[in-house]
């Protein structure tokens, strides 16, 4: 992964952008953290947070004109946080911070003119950096206009202590009156704070750079100009601090401007959702008021995605972790699992105000892993083998229409596997509608290979499909599955496609009895950018009189069922968590129009209908079938719709096995197919090699592809009763 | 037991081999993704049939496979 690619991804995620209050503060005080500390009554910690950005928290905290408050988005929810009041409360309740740390002394010196807040701020900041600072001001102590504040607002002792602290830091007093005629010595700089009226005459406001605060005379800086009719203590202080930063750069011979965008900008790109935030009016008690702060952040995508939530960060951090995953030379590629667990569903991109796409990032990372041969071989192998099965002559094939081929029905491998009878009935129904002008194409579209970033395999599948379509005279494909649609849209966009639902709307809907109860409508994630698909389904439901409920996260913001992107293969627990979260969104049973969604969402406490379950009601119940059954179904459907294939059956095909529900569940979790079991049993029978236990059960083993399977079974007259099965990928060799 | 990986199996097994041989602990080489470990597993003294018990296959062995895949 190249650096520029990382930067591009990182820049899109706005979670690290400053909260609105902090962005609006010229000193960039971390108001969010400050409110957090105040809410916990940690006054000393809160004071430290102020001191991190404020040159003189004891003064500014008491008189701050808090532009942050105007930026607080809680103004829309009962009222902005009274941050100014909280600052005061913090200072009144916290202890003095003691000595301020100072960098080792430098020989370079600066003279600071004026007694106002900008001059004091500039002086303390330069002193902290180790420069020799002398101040020129009138009166006993510096303060200027600050001395006019009422005692209860800004006690004079605070100003006395401030001057004492400055002196302790090495700041001296000078009585040099005219900086210009005095001239600038080498290795020195000066600052004039015009917020002290005494010194305003020394500088022409038009001669001062508004960002660097330098005048046309090098080394001569000025700040503290009023920005409105009212004096602004926070801006005066910010001017002094920023000018001190410029003087520091000037002394170091560095650019006065470069890399200071964040220091100057008052903008933020942060996006904080206020949905669900209670409306509360401001509280008198500062602690209660601080508790109202919602600690603005984005994390919108994270909140709405089990995958993004699981890794405890946010996209910007994930982009960095993925970058590092490729940068390591030795050690573990610790982000592999994360990269492979994204469902590639695209919800984050739709939610993100800046269109950050975790799908793009993870897809790109997967491509790199495959290219560099570091993709863990076990993650996608099972799904890819299932795809191979769906595209083997036993499950796939095509036929043209009896007369011509205007259209071709492409049910997709999941519908064919999960709902073979209904697929057959749809094929027959459409066949009649098209009056001998519709062909059929069975097989997998290549989605699993695309999700696994196996470009070679996608191309192989797509080329074969393209060739078939061409040989049929480029008819329109009638698509039942939106995932297949997404694949074709991406790889063979020129091929004409139409959704099964659109065709039914146009040609006629079968007579059907809707379910009596209201069903929660789950849009498949691959219809996110297919409004016509979604609308066709809704039209059918309305025509049928099927009551349905729109989910809050439906349509363009629908969620994935956990199968997308092969999430289920990389992290089955996460996929299951996503299913449970989805099902919790409604009290009702669910309705979808993707066979894989129905399969994934089923079996977790709710009945999940496919639209075809309503249009072509099944004879049996709507249950989860599992991998083996789906493979068998595809083969049977192939025979029914296209006739038997040319391949001879495998010798173990007809071995009778019986599997209890409990064992079946284990086989599914462990990705062990009936065909693996039968082949293992057949090999054991043929070679006579197996193990026997005292109670007569047997244990057979067979290496099939990259996996060694173990099957524990009992043989009776009629069948092999499967007791247990497991597998591993390591290969064992006896040492002599 | 391989000290580095923790792979291996020393539990009692009641399985016998179909060839009539008894299972006894044997030194076995385990290979995965170009890595090789020497471990001890029950194997038939006569025909060399090696048993990989379920607990090992779905436990430590799976764990090591995943670690090697992420290397």
């Amino acid at each position: 992964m190249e650096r520029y690619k990382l930067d591009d991804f990182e820049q899109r995620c706005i979670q690290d952008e400053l909260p609105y209050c902090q962005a609006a503060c010229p000193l960039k005080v971390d108001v969010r953290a400050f409110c957090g500390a105040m809410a916990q009554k940690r006054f000393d910690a809160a004071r430290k947070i102020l001191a991190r950005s404020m040159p003189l928290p004891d003064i500014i905290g008491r008189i701050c004109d808090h532009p942050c408050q105007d930026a607080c988005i809680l103004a829309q929810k009962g009222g902005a946080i009274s941050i100014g009041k909280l600052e005061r409360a913090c200072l009144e309740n916290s202890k003095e911070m003691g000595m301020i740390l100072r960098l080792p002394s430098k020989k370079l010196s600066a003279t600071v003119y004026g007694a106002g807040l900008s001059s004091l701020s500039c002086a303390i900041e330069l002193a902290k950096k180790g420069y020799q600072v002398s101040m020129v001001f009138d009166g006993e102590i510096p303060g200027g206009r600050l001395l006019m504040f009422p005692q209860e607002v800004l006690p004079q002792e605070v100003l006395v202590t401030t001057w004492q602290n400055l002196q302790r830091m090495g700041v001296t007093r000078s009585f040099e009156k005219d900086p210009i005629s005095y001239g600038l010595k080498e290795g020195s700089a000066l600052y004039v704070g015009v917020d002290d009226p005494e010194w305003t005459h020394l500088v022409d406001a038009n001669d001062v750079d508004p960002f660097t605060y330098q005048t046309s005379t090098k080394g001569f800086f000025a700040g503290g100009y009023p920005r409105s009719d009212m004096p602004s203590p926070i801006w005066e202080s910010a001017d002094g601090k920023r000018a001190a930063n410029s003087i520091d750069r000037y002394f170091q011979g560095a650019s006065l401007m470069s890399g200071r965008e964040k220091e100057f900008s008052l903008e933020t790109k942060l996006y904080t959702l206020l949905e669900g935030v209670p409306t509360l009016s401001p509280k008198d008690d500062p602690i209660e008021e601080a508790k109202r702060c919602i600690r603005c952040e984005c994390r919108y995508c994270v909140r709405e995605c089990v995958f993004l939530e699981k890794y405890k960060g946010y996209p910007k951090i994930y982009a960095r972790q993925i970058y590092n995953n490729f940068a390591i030379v030795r050690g573990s590629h610790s982000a592999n699992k994360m990269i492979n667990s994204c469902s590639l569903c695209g919800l984050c991109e739709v939610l993100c105000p800046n269109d950050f796409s975790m799908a793009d990032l993870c897809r790109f990372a997967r491509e790199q892993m495959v290219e560099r041969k570091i993709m863990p071989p076990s993650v996608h192998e099972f799904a890819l083998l299932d795809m191979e099965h769906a595209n083997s002559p036993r499950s796939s094939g095509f036929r043209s229409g009896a007369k011509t081929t205007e259209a071709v029905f492409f049910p997709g491998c999941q519908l064919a596997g999960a709902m073979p009878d209904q697929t057959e009935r749809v094929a027959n129904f459409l066949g009649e509608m098209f009056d001998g002008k519709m062909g059929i194409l069975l097989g997998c579209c290549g989605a699993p290979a695309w999700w696994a970033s196996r470009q070679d395999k996608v191309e192989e599948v797509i080329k074969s499909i393209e060739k078939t379509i061409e040989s049929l005279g480029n008819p329109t494909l009638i698509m039942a599955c939106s995932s297949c649609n997404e694949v074709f849209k991406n790889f063979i966009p020129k091929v004409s496609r139409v959704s099964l639902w659109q065709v039914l709307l146009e040609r006629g809907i079968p007579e059907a009895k809707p379910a009596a109860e209201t069903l929660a409508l789950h849009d498949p994630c691959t219809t996110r950018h297919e409004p016509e698909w979604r609308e066709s389904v809704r039209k059918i439901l309305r025509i049928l009189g099927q009551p349905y409920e729109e989910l809050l996260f439906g349509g363009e913001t629908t969620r994935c069922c956990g199968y997308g992107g092969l999430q289920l293969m990389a992290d089955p627990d996460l996929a299951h968590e996503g299913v449970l979260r989805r099902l919790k969104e409604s009290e009702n049973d669910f309705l979808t129009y993707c066979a894989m969604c129905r399969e994934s969402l089923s079996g977790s406490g709710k009945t999940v209908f496919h639209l075809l379950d309503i249009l072509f009601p099944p004879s049996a119940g709507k249950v989860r079938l599992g991998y083996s059954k789906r493979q068998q179904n595809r083969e049977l459907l192939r025979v029914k719709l296209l006739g038997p294939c040319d391949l001879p059956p495998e010798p173990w095909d007809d071995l009778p096995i019986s599997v209890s529900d409990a064992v079946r569940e284990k086989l599914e979790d462990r990705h062990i197919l009936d065909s693996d079991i039968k082949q293992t049993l057949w090999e054991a029978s043929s070679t006579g090699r197996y193990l026997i236990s005292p109670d007569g059960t047997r244990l057979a083993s067979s290496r099939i592809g990259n996996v060694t399977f173990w099957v524990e079974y009992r043989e009776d007259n009629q069948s092999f009763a499967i007791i247990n099965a497991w597998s591993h990928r390591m290969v064992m060799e006896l040492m002599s | 037991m391989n000290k580095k990986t923790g792979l291996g199996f020393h539990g009692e097994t009641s399985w016998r081999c179909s060839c009539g041989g008894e299972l006894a602990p044997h030194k076995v080489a385990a290979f995965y993704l170009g890595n090789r470990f020497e471990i001890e597993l029950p194997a038939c003294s006569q025909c060399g049939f090696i048993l990989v018990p379920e607990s090992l296959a779905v436990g430590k062995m799976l764990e090591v496979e995943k670690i090697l895949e992420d290397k």
Side-chain angles (χ1 to χ4, degrees), chain B residues 43-54:
Chain B
C44 173
S45 320
Q46 281 186 34
C47 72
F49 191 111
I50 304 164
L51 167 66
V52 179
E54 180 187 20

Side-chain angles (χ1 to χ4, degrees), chain A residues 481-691:
Chain A
C481 167
S482 50
S483 294
C484 304
N485 182 61
E486 193 182 39
V487 174
F488 292 171
K489 188 177 177 180
N490 193 67
F491 290 96
I492 35 175
K494 283 184 186 157
V495 169
S496 156
R497 290 168 281 111
V498 62
S499 78
L500 167 64
W501 321 114
Q502 183 64 30
V503 171
L504 292 176
L505 276 176
E506 285 167 9
R507 305 249 170 175
I509 299 167
E511 267 189 39
K513 205 172 147 249
E517 68 270 32
T518 300
L519 300 174
L521 183 57
H522 166 85
D523 292 302
C525 61
T526 41
T527 63
R528 186 180 313 288
H529 302 298
E530 301 293 340
E532 283 172 15
W533 274 65
R534 304 196 306 259
E535 191 44 38
S536 299
V537 166
R538 284 161 175 78
K539 274 184 190 158
I540 293 176
L541 294 176
R542 288 196 286 269
I543 292 169
L544 290 175
Q546 172 64 53
Y548 68 94
E549 171 202 2
E550 292 284 2
L551 291 168
L552 183 60
F553 281 80
E556 205 193 4
T557 56
T558 190
R559 294 184 202 278
C560 175
C561 70
Y563 195 78
L566 299 177
Q567 181 180 69
L568 183 70
M569 300 294 154
D571 192 342
D573 293 339
L574 178 72
H576 187 60
E577 207 185 309
V579 167
L580 296 181
R581 177 169 179 170
R582 183 54 157 173
L583 295 177
K584 265 191 210 150
E585 287 175 45
S586 172
E587 294 290 307
N588 294 317
D589 280 339
F590 274 62
L591 168 67
T592 185
Y593 43 103
C594 162
M596 208 57 231
C597 289
R598 190 189 77 159
E599 189 77 354
S600 301
L601 296 175
S602 296
S604 296
K606 286 226 166 103
T607 302
V608 182
F609 293 79
H610 189 283
L611 181 51
L612 291 180
D613 290 326
I614 294 167
L615 292 169
F616 299 89
S619 42
K622 293 165 284 296
V623 289
R624 227 177 147 181
L625 295 181
Y627 299 110
S628 290
K629 189 71 184 156
R630 293 207 296 269
Q631 291 198 354
Q632 289 158 22
N633 284 342
R634 282 181 207 142
E635 293 187 11
L636 289 172
L637 185 70
R638 201 262 180 228
V639 174
K640 280 186 180 173
L641 291 177
L642 306 174
C645 76
D646 301 335
L647 290 179
E650 299 288 0
W652 51 83
D653 275 356
D654 290 332
L655 275 189
I657 60 167
S658 64
V659 181
S660 68
D661 287 349
V663 174
R664 171 62 66 200
E665 206 171 305
K666 202 185 252 185
L667 297 182
E668 282 292 308
D669 286 349
R670 293 179 176 179
H671 292 168
I672 298 171
L673 299 170
D674 285 5
S675 55
D676 301 323
I677 287 180
K678 287 180 181 180
Q679 187 173 345
T680 304
L681 296 178
W682 182 81
E683 278 180 24
S685 303
S686 319
T687 59
R689 293 192 76 192
Y690 46 85
L691 301 178

Side-chain angles (χ1 to χ4, degrees), chain A residues 321-339 369 374 376, chain B residues 63-71:
Chain A
Q321 287 170 349
I322 290 172
Y323 175 79
N324 291 342
N325 201 54
F326 292 109
I328 62 156
V329 182
R330 291 183 62 143
S332 175
H333 293 91
S334 53
N336 280 357
K337 186 169 180 176
M338 177 173 83
I339 293 168
M369 286 163 78
I374 54 167
Chain B
E63 215 175 277
V64 174
E65 283 172 3
K66 290 206 182 296
I67 290 169
L68 295 175
E69 289 191 348
D70 284 338
K71 243 172 89 171

Side-chain angles (χ1 to χ4, degrees), chain A residues 25 45-46 73 75 104 115 170 245 247 269 280 476 485 506 635 686 723:
Chain A
C25 173
I73 58 167
N245 288 341
I247 292 170
K269 287 193 212 128
L280 297 170
T476 297
N485 182 61
E506 285 167 9
E635 293 187 11
S686 319
I723 298 165

